[in-house]
């Protein structure tokens, strides 16, 4: 094979997903006039693909054009953290992010390599840093180090059977907070590579990159739930519709806690899939493992062009599954159903988003939904005697509502909600329920911020700032602070407001005591 041909093939394979290469190979084998040439090119494609995989595994860091937008730094002794750091970098690069991959010792805390750094770290021995991170930890402990301009996140690997579970990841997170770093979201701890935690990390990567078109590293073991209700919460809003979805569990024994999350397996519109299959002469109703070809394909990534020509049923069923979508649960088990608050999203071409399109548009009432509840102990509520300050915006009301419903079973709990949306007339989500709780005293205080109701936009973080004295009083009386909603904007600005009102040392204490928790997306 000549060098120009090798370079061209490698470039092609970098640009195309694997299933596109399979489609090309299938078409070449079908090309009757020149079977020998076709076979030779197929072999060349295979060799180039193998070279691509080999090249990607050996390369220690991502090649970038220009300065990196984001750095992924790993600390790995046995290879697990490095493997998932490499997967993270690949997902971000596929989303168009300029990403640099580094062992932690190659990072200089005196000169941060990018404004955002993601740390994927393991713990070694008796709570020690892995060998390729020990020097960095020593340098990070030195005087004169600052991280005020750094946004970061930590994925820590560990094993709860050991006393020093995720000790290095926890020390790293605590030190970065002390230095003024801004956590993008709360530290994630993967106990023995917990698949749910790793899927959540992927979900957060998708939010950071703005591209949710990824493949799950570890698919969710879904159950079959049923969509029983769909109600628009903001009719007439200038923003996208927000739907309250009700889903019936597969059994009466299903349980969860306020703060938990559902992972939903989305699907393409079945009518679209059937039309695509008819267009290439395949029977959409042909059964495979008890399901029709159309139903199977509705759960899988389609080629970027949407063109299925050249792919037979076997090749279509080999396409990767669609990525899961995560939503905060807005109800409690006593309600008898999971309720979700989902804002309809739209792609650049105006078509509905994958997850919200399925749940809010395509799935019929009574339809089966692939769903799994994932425990989220980092956002479980405090005991009823602990005063609770809840802060959120938009669909973030879902997780906060679940906490309020859970605490309603304990009369006398003290609760304060700060909530922001667009217009009071159309976007006051759950306004009747919140008004009843305010009247009954279940909500001791309710602060609202509707950004479009006055010439100068007012957001929930402004309501928080204006309630500074009351906030300090509640915190002094032992209150916990829970934040749920958008990472960009609200989550970051609430963090800065809290730092200004309470001070960095006090906020670190609240975090260590489990009294400051965030569920941001």
């Amino acid at each position: 094979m000549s060098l120009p041909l090798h370079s061209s093939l490698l470039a092609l394979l970098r640009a195309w997903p694997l299933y596109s290469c399979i489609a090309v190979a299938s078409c070449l084998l079908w090309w009757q006039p020149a079977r020998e040439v076709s076979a030779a090119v197929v072999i060349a494609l295979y060799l180039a693909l193998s070279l691509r995989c080999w090249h990607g595994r050996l390369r220690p860091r991502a090649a970038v054009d220009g300065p990196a937008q984001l750095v992924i730094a790993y600390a790995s002794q046995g290879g697990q953290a490095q493997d998932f750091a490499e997967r993270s970098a690949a997902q971000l690069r596929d989303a168009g992010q300029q990403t640099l991959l580094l062992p932690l010792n190659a990072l200089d805390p005196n000169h941060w390599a990018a404004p955002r750094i993601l740390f994927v770290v393991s713990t070694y021995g008796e709570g020690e840093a892995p060998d390729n991170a020990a020097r960095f930890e020593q340098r990070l402990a030195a005087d004169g180090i600052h991280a005020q301009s750094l946004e970061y996140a930590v994925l820590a690997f560990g094993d709860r059977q050991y006393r020093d579970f995720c000790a290095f990841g926890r020390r790293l997170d605590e030190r970065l907070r002390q230095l003024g770093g801004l956590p993008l979201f709360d530290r994630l701890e993967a106990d023995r590579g917990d698949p749910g935690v790793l899927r959540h990390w992927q979900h957060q990567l998708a939010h950071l990159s703005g591209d949710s078109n990824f493949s799950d590293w570890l698919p969710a073991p879904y159950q079959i739930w049923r969509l029983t209700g769909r109600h628009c919460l903001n009719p007439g809003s200038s923003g996208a519709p927000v739907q309250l979805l009700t889903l019936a569990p597969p059994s009466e024994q299903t349980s969860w806690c306020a703060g938990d999350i559902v992972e939903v397996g989305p699907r393409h519109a079945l009518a679209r899939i059937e039309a695509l299959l008819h267009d290439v002469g395949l029977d959409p109703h042909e059964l495979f493992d008890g399901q029709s070809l159309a139903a199977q394909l509705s759960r899988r990534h389609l080629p970027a062009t949407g063109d299925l020509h050249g792919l037979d049923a076997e090749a279509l069923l080999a396409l990767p599954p669609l990525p899961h979508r995560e939503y905060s649960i807005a109800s409690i088990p006593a309600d008898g159903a999971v309720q979700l608050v989902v804002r309809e999203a739209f792609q650049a071409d105006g078509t509905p988003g994958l997850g919200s399109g399925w749940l809010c548009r395509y799935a019929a009432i009574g339809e089966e939904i692939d769903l799994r509840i994932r425990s989220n102990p980092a956002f479980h509520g405090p005991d009823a005697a602990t005063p609770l300050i809840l802060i959120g915006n938009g669909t973030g009301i879902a997780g906060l509502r679940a906490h309020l419903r859970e605490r309603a079973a304990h009369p006398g709990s003290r609760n304060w909600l700060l909530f922001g949306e667009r217009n009071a007339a159309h976007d006051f989500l759950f306004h009747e329920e919140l008004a009843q709780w305010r009247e009954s005293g279940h909500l001791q205080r309710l602060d609202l911020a509707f950004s479009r109701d006055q010439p100068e936009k007012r957001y929930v973080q402004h309501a928080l700032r204006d309630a500074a004295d009351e906030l300090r009083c509640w915190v002094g009386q032992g209150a916990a602070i829970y934040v749920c909603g958008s990472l960009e904007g609200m989550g970051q600005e609430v963090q800065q407001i809290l730092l200004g009102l309470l001070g960095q040392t006090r906020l670190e204490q609240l975090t260590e005591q489990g009294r400051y928790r965030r569920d941001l997306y």
Side-chain angles (χ1 to χ4, degrees):
M1 181 175 10
S2 66
L3 184 59
L5 176 59
H6 161 262
S7 300
S8 299
L9 288 172
L10 192 55
L12 175 67
L13 290 167
R14 283 175 178 157
W16 282 9
L18 177 58
Y19 51 76
S20 298
C21 300
I22 294 171
V24 171
S26 300
C27 292
L28 286 169
L29 285 173
W30 172 83
W31 185 30
Q32 296 294 334
R35 284 184 176 272
E36 294 81 7
V37 174
S38 300
V41 175
V42 169
I43 291 171
L45 279 168
Y46 173 78
L47 291 174
L49 177 61
S50 300
L51 181 59
R52 175 199 178 196
C53 297
W54 173 79
H55 184 261
R57 291 296 297 178
L58 288 184
R59 187 171 48 198
R61 64 178 67 183
V64 296
D65 297 321
Q69 300 170 325
L70 185 149
V71 165
I72 297 180
Y74 61 86
S76 185
Q77 196 71 27
Q80 183 186 44
Q82 180 177 350
D83 176 55
F84 283 102
E86 290 170 351
R87 295 190 194 200
S88 301
Q91 179 176 325
L92 291 168
R93 287 197 302 268
D94 289 345
Q97 286 266 52
Q98 292 178 323
T99 304
L100 186 64
L101 181 66
L102 296 169
L104 202 47
N105 277 345
L107 200 62
D108 183 357
N110 290 291
H111 305 285
W112 299 109
R116 282 185 171 179
I117 300 180
L118 307 183
F119 297 89
V120 182
V121 303
S122 293
T123 296
Y124 177 61
E126 299 298 321
E128 303 162 20
D131 292 341
N132 60 4
R135 186 172 70 249
F136 172 82
E137 185 174 28
Q138 292 174 357
R139 298 171 74 183
L140 194 66
D143 295 333
I145 303 294
H146 301 284
Q148 283 88 349
S149 61
L150 179 68
E151 295 180 329
Y152 74 93
V154 175
L155 171 62
F157 288 89
D159 187 335
R160 291 193 185 277
Q161 293 181 352
Y162 292 90
R163 181 184 61 188
D164 300 302
F165 174 67
C166 290
F168 174 57
R170 292 176 176 180
R171 288 200 308 273
L172 174 62
D173 185 23
E174 291 167 5
R175 179 58 175 159
L176 289 171
R177 289 175 187 264
Q178 292 171 1
L179 296 174
L182 178 65
L184 291 162
F185 44 86
D186 289 348
R187 180 181 66 248
L188 296 180
E189 298 180 343
D191 179 19
R192 288 175 286 182
D194 184 337
V197 173
L198 294 175
R199 282 194 298 275
H200 187 52
W201 175 259
Q202 276 198 276
H203 191 73
Q204 296 290 37
L205 294 180
H207 281 300
L208 293 177
S209 66
D211 186 351
S212 57
N213 187 31
F214 61 91
S215 294
D216 283 324
W217 301 328
L218 303 167
Y222 297 122
Q223 295 178 300
I224 301 300
W225 289 56
R226 195 169 298 277
L227 180 64
T228 59
R230 183 161 51 214
H231 170 66
C232 183
L233 292 176
N234 63 339
S237 173
S238 59
V242 174
Q243 303 286 351
L244 176 65
L245 306 168
T246 302
L247 299 115
S251 71
E252 294 180 358
Q253 285 73 39
T254 304
S255 186
W256 63 92
C257 296
D260 285 344
I261 289 172
V262 298
E263 300 173 336
V264 172
R267 302 185 209 173
H268 299 294
L270 192 61
R272 179 194 175 203
I273 298 299
E274 290 178 345
L276 289 173
L277 291 171
H278 276 303
D279 187 50
V280 296
L282 294 174
D283 179 6
H285 304 295
E286 184 178 358
L287 294 180
F288 292 86
D289 295 328
Q291 286 192 320
S292 70
L293 176 60
Q296 294 258 29
L297 188 58
S298 70
R299 294 177 169 89
R300 299 187 176 277
H301 274 293
L302 299 178
T305 61
D307 186 359
L308 305 184
H309 285 88
L311 298 176
D312 60 15
E314 185 176 353
L316 292 173
L317 295 177
L319 295 175
L322 291 171
H324 76 286
R325 292 292 187 266
E326 293 188 354
Y327 302 99
S328 297
I329 301 177
S331 57
I332 57 175
D335 297 324
V338 155
Q339 289 190 314
L340 310 178
V341 180
V342 179
R343 190 185 302 276
E344 294 187 39
F346 297 90
Q347 301 180 29
D349 61 2
T351 57
L354 184 59
S356 66
W358 165 237
L359 291 172
C360 299
R361 296 282 183 104
Y362 305 137
I365 299 300
E367 184 103 38
E368 291 184 346
I369 304 294
D370 299 329
L371 184 149
R372 175 185 181 272
I373 292 178
R374 179 169 60 77
S375 178
N376 185 26
F379 204 65
H380 287 174
D383 61 76
T386 300
L388 185 58
I389 303 169
L390 300 163
I391 306 169
N393 69 334
T395 58
I397 190 66
L400 306 182
R401 177 185 185 241
H403 280 295
L404 287 169
R405 293 185 71 81
E406 188 173 75
R407 290 166 70 86
H410 304 278
S413 64
R414 296 182 59 202
N415 306 290
W416 173 10
L417 173 65
L418 299 98
F419 174 67
E421 248 290 358
R422 285 173 174 259
N423 302 105
H426 302 288
D427 303 292
F428 193 168
L429 310 181
F430 299 108
H431 62 281
E432 293 181 358
E433 187 172 48
L434 295 179
Q436 290 173 359
W437 282 339
R438 184 72 179 94
E439 184 177 348
S440 69
H442 180 50
L443 270 176
Q444 284 202 349
R445 179 163 177 163
L446 176 62
D447 288 70
L448 302 167
F450 294 102
S451 59
R452 272 51 169 199
D453 279 356
Q454 59 281 313
E456 185 176 350
K457 291 183 179 179
R458 176 177 168 81
Y459 297 103
V460 69
Q461 52 266 32
H462 300 141
L464 177 64
R465 179 197 60 200
D466 294 346
D469 292 339
E470 188 79 358
L471 174 76
R472 296 189 190 97
C473 180
W474 276 57
V475 170
Q477 294 169 354
I481 303 172
Y482 279 46
V483 185
C484 189
S486 57
L487 167 64
E488 305 286 354
M490 188 279 295
Q492 295 169 319
E493 293 188 28
V494 164
Q495 171 88 0
Q496 294 292 359
I497 293 290
L498 290 173
L499 281 169
L501 297 181
L502 301 175
Q504 185 168 306
T505 300
R506 186 65 169 133
L507 199 59
E508 287 174 11
Q509 291 173 346
L510 294 178
T511 300
E512 293 170 4
Q513 296 166 1
R515 291 171 54 198
Y516 176 44
R517 302 185 181 222
R518 305 185 304 161
D519 184 12
L520 303 176
Y521 46 84

